[in-house]
Amino acid sequence: MLARKSIIPEEYVLARIAAENLRKPRVHDHQRKARFVAKSGACNVAHKNIREQGRFLQDVFTTLVDLKWRHTLVIFTMTFLCSWLLFAMMWWLVAFAHGDMDIKDNVKNPEPCVTNVKSFTSAFLFSIEVQVTIGFGGRMMTEECLLAITLLIMQNIVGLIVNAVMLGCIFMKTAQSHRRAETLIFSRHAVIAVRNNRLCFMFRVGDLRKSMIISASVRIQVVRKTVTPEGEVIPIHQIDIPVENPIESNNIFLVAPLIICHVIDKRSPLYEISYSDLSTQDLEVIVILEGVVETTGITTQARTSYIAEEILWGHRFVSIVTEEEGVYSVDYSKFGNTVKVAAPQCSARELDEKPSILIQTLQKSELSHQNSLRKRNSMRRNNSMRRNNSMRRNNSGLIMPKVQFMAPEQIDT
């Protein structure tokens, strides 16, 4: 069958489709910048084309600790099995060379090197008994073979080394420092607000455990792509920024959640960034918390990062520490909560050049606060007046009507 011809001309349809495509704005997906450090603290770096793989074998212990648990358990099991099988083969060869396999049970004069080792299975069982120091009494050494005594000493030494390395590896994996860092938390967002008449970059850090982090210190770095005057492109340029601390060091006493503050001054890479420029900045603020675990004495490190989309301008963290019955109580449900506050939308450099901007911003916020209070008071008054009027209406409806009593004479008439 022939296809039906359209009533609308084809040229008109094509023109209409082209016009609709021109009217609809084309929204391109914004390519998200790769983070140098993830929110969980993992470094987002892929090492490729490493030719000198033998360097990892020079430090076998660290390589075993860095492996995943499933790989470590497989290596742990295979190491013991291979050592038992290797020495079982040696014991079987010693018994075979001495002729222990041909000795019959009713012959008493010939003495074997190891009693009751007459097959590879019995040699394997004897190898396990020697290496893990289990003596069942069925198989034992004799003074007949010097080679067997030497092999016994060798297996004991090798077994001790294998036990020390593998058990040490398992212990180090269970006591790794990043396990303690799981209970060190950072706020989801960072904020920029005015503190002590200066623009400050702030975030909150806390420890969920009661065991403290000794000599805890905080470092902040800004990672951004820069180009030198010579034209060299540095994709990951790390810039250290100072942390405001009354003590002339970065050490903190992390007994309760703290707000870490960085004053945006001339030394800061955030000095020339305003509110409108923040969303277009290709930067990442990396936070590193280091300290010694009080219970184990192992140095631990917790990391996180904040990109431009995770920095809130004109916000402040709410207070979460209260005093209840002589004890300071911390409400972690409000750990990352912020409130909007008045803050100038200009950069710190413009604020230093024109301090009047801060005064005007504070005055506007005060006026807006007073207006909001007046509106609230007026709304409360209106609500109270409406309630009073409704109560009066209800009371008037409840008034009993007057009842007139008529005499019987009036009724008869």
Side-chain angles (χ1 to χ4, degrees), residues 196-213:
N196 297 326
N197 298 326
R198 301 293 299 272
L199 274 178
C200 298
F201 173 85
M202 294 173 286
F203 61 92
R204 179 174 277 167
V205 60
D207 188 4
L208 299 179
R209 291 187 182 272
K210 291 185 178 180
S211 59
M212 295 180 55
I213 300 295

Side-chain angles (χ1 to χ4, degrees), residues 222-235:
V222 173
V223 177
R224 64 193 312 175
K225 182 179 179 180
T226 58
V227 180
T228 61
E230 295 79 13
E232 180 185 1
V233 179
I234 304 176

Side-chain angles (χ1 to χ4, degrees), residues 78-96 114 117 119-132 141 147-163:
M78 294 303 297
T79 302
F80 281 102
L81 285 176
C82 291
S83 63
W84 295 338
L85 289 171
L86 176 63
F87 283 100
M89 180 64 69
M90 292 182 181
W91 286 114
W92 183 81
L93 291 175
V94 169
F96 179 79
V114 182
V117 176
S119 63
F120 182 79
T121 304
S122 58
F124 179 72
L125 294 175
F126 182 72
S127 175
I128 296 175
E129 293 177 10
V130 170
Q131 190 162 334
V132 300
M141 288 284 301
L147 181 60
I149 297 173
T150 305
L151 183 59
L152 177 66
I153 296 172
M154 186 187 301
Q155 185 174 4
N156 284 328
I157 294 173
V158 173
L160 289 175
I161 294 173
V162 171
N163 289 336

Side-chain angles (χ1 to χ4, degrees), residues 34-105:
R35 304 178 74 110
F36 186 59
V37 175
K39 295 297 289 183
S40 61
C43 295
N44 190 20
V45 179
H47 300 277
K48 298 181 179 180
N49 301 326
I50 300 176
R51 297 180 180 179
E52 299 180 359
Q53 298 287 344
R55 292 181 178 270
F56 295 99
L57 297 178
Q58 295 178 3
D59 188 7
V60 180
F61 185 79
T62 306
T63 304
L64 291 174
V65 173
D66 291 339
L67 290 175
K68 295 182 179 180
W69 267 108
R70 57 178 178 269
H71 299 155
T72 303
L73 293 177
V74 170
I75 293 174
F76 181 85
T77 305
M78 294 303 297
T79 302
F80 281 102
L81 285 176
C82 291
S83 63
W84 295 338
L85 289 171
L86 176 63
F87 283 100
M89 180 64 69
M90 292 182 181
W91 286 114
W92 183 81
L93 291 175
V94 169
F96 179 79
H98 190 260
D100 297 344
M101 304 294 182
D102 300 330
I103 297 175
K104 298 181 180 180
D105 296 336

Side-chain angles (χ1 to χ4, degrees), residues 123 139 147 180 267 274 293:
R139 284 166 288 271
L147 181 60
R180 179 61 176 88
R267 300 174 297 172
S274 63
V293 182

Side-chain angles (χ1 to χ4, degrees), residues 12 16 27 51-52 59 82 91 114 119 146 148 159 181-182 193 216 231 240 306 330 346 379 381 389 392 400:
Y12 177 76
R16 187 184 62 182
V27 179
R51 297 180 180 179
E52 299 180 359
D59 188 7
C82 291
W91 286 114
V114 182
S119 63
L146 181 62
E182 296 293 335
D240 288 329
Y306 301 98
V330 181
C346 62
M379 290 177 65
R381 290 175 183 174
N389 293 331
R392 289 175 182 175
M400 296 295 295

